[in-house]
């Protein structure tokens, strides 16, 4: 059965809006774990816009499930990852100006470079994943790097505006998924998945894990807002007692 890994970057985004201490990503991670998540994902970006180095350290120390660290393939991130020893690292492309990870990592043509980059992780017993577009050439290249997993980018499928486009993107994902499995890679899916568009994968075999962040944190705001307001109203009402 596929498992769920929850990306908690946006809890840190909210905290960084005030540069304070709440909401705490570590507390969010604990709640995700208590609710059935199999792994917690954080992306330590070069610009540190949400997750901070300290979050990674605390998570690595305290998580009860697996920690997945998303990162760019840089020397700085390699050193941080090896120091914190997450269960899995996932290499993603990173551009400073982007709102979120916009496309998959271009692996084709960089097989040797990325294989060398991943080597110390394999030696340390850390699993590796490459976040790629659903494209056979990228899957083949990913296999050549020795990565354990590919995470297929579901963004184009999730963002498709029309049925035909959505079906085309879904077919690309299913083809890449099958091809990756045939090539001995384990497959995760992620980006833009929500409570509706994930249903298309209900009968699709071969997915190891779904990597989901924004829709879960967004829903948490909605399903939790009512309680949060009631709690504050109740607190103020008690002033009169
Ligand atoms: N997988 C990767 C590699 C990502 O970069 C992201 C976004 O941080 C996700 C999954 C989760 O995407 P979303 O927040 O849209 O669920």
């Amino acid at each position: 059965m596929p498992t769920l890994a929850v990306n908690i970057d946006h809890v840190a985004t909210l905290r960084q809006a005030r540069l304070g201490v709440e909401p705490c990503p570590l507390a969010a991670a604990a709640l995700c774990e208590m609710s059935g998540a199999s792994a917690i994902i954080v992306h330590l970006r070069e610009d540190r816009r949400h997750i901070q180095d300290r979050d990674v350290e605390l998570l690595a120390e305290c998580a009860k499930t697996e920690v997945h660290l998303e990162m760019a393939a840089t020397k700085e991130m390699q050193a941080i990852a090896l120091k914190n020893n997450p269960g899995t690292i996932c290499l993603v492309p990173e551009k400073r100006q982007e709102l979120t990870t916009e496309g998959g990592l271009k692996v084709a043509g960089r097989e040797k470079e990325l294989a060398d980059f991943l080597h110390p992780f394999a030696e340390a017993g850390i699993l590796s994943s490459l976040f790629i577009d659903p494209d056979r050439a990228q899957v083949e290249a990913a296999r050549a790097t020795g990565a354990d997993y590919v995470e297929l980018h579901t963004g184009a499928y999730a963002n498709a505006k029309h049925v035909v486009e959505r079906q085309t993107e879904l077919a690309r994902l299913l083809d890449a998924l099958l091809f990756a499995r045939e090539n001995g890679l384990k497959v995760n899916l992620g980006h833009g998945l929500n409570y509706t568009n994930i249903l298309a994968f209900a009968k699709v075999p071969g997915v190891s894990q779904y990597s989901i962040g924004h829709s879960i944190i967004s829903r948490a705001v909605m399903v939790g807002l009512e309680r949060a307001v009631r709690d504050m109203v109740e607190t103020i009402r008690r002033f009169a007692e």
Side-chain angles (χ1 to χ4, degrees):
M1 201 181 77
T3 56
L4 171 67
V6 181
N7 181 315
I8 56 168
D9 290 351
H10 292 300
V11 176
T13 302
L14 202 51
R15 177 193 61 191
Q16 293 310 106
R18 291 287 172 92
L19 297 177
V21 294
E22 67 173 9
C24 170
L26 199 66
L31 284 172
C32 293
E33 289 179 328
M34 285 194 287
S35 309
S38 297
I40 303 298
I41 303 177
V42 288
H43 182 176
L44 186 66
R45 295 188 75 102
E46 193 191 6
D47 61 11
R48 308 299 198 269
R49 71 173 72 154
H50 38 55
I51 293 295
Q52 307 296 305
D53 298 54
R54 178 98 180 110
D55 296 323
V56 177
E57 287 163 20
L58 287 171
L59 199 60
E61 216 177 293
C62 303
K64 305 278 187 301
T65 59
E66 278 231 333
V67 175
H68 290 196
L69 181 63
E70 286 178 8
M71 52 183 255
T74 64
K75 282 277 163 214
E76 182 203 12
M77 289 300 156
Q78 189 183 48
I80 292 171
L82 288 169
K83 193 177 86 186
N84 287 289
N85 203 24
T88 305
I89 56 122
C90 180
L91 298 186
V92 300
E94 212 177 283
K95 290 187 228 123
R96 282 214 170 210
Q97 300 310 322
E98 68 190 355
L99 290 177
T100 180
T101 315
E102 278 165 6
L105 190 70
K106 301 288 173 267
V107 184
R110 297 178 64 195
E111 291 89 339
K112 167 86 173 66
E113 175 203 338
L114 291 171
D116 290 347
F117 188 85
L118 293 179
H119 187 66
F121 293 105
E123 287 215 308
I126 298 170
L127 297 173
S128 58
S129 178
L130 302 178
F131 183 55
I132 58 170
D133 289 328
D135 178 293
R136 283 184 173 227
Q138 299 301 333
V139 172
E140 248 172 354
R143 186 185 65 151
T145 67
D148 300 286
Y149 286 84
V150 285
E151 180 177 330
L152 298 177
H153 194 323
T154 49
Y157 158 73
N159 295 330
K161 293 264 180 292
H162 305 291
V163 178
V164 176
E165 188 190 349
R166 195 171 311 123
Q167 289 305 331
T168 305
E169 292 302 335
L170 184 59
R172 281 183 69 204
L173 281 164
L174 300 186
D175 178 70
L177 167 58
L178 195 63
F179 189 63
R181 298 286 301 170
E182 285 167 3
N183 278 278
L185 288 157
K186 295 193 198 98
V187 180
N188 298 333
L189 298 181
H191 214 287
L193 293 176
N194 61 33
Y195 296 80
T196 307
N197 62 25
I198 197 172
L199 299 178
F201 301 98
K203 299 263 182 298
V204 173
V207 179
S208 294
Q209 192 162 66
Y210 292 96
S211 162
I212 306 180
H214 193 264
S215 65
I216 292 178
I217 303 303
S218 301
R219 194 178 185 98
V221 171
M222 288 302 163
V223 300
L225 189 58
E226 187 183 343
R227 165 80 191 272
V229 173
R230 280 184 201 286
D231 285 355
M232 186 57 86
V233 168
E234 198 45 45
T235 302
I236 293 168
R237 272 200 191 127
R238 269 191 239 120
F239 292 177
E241 285 169 11

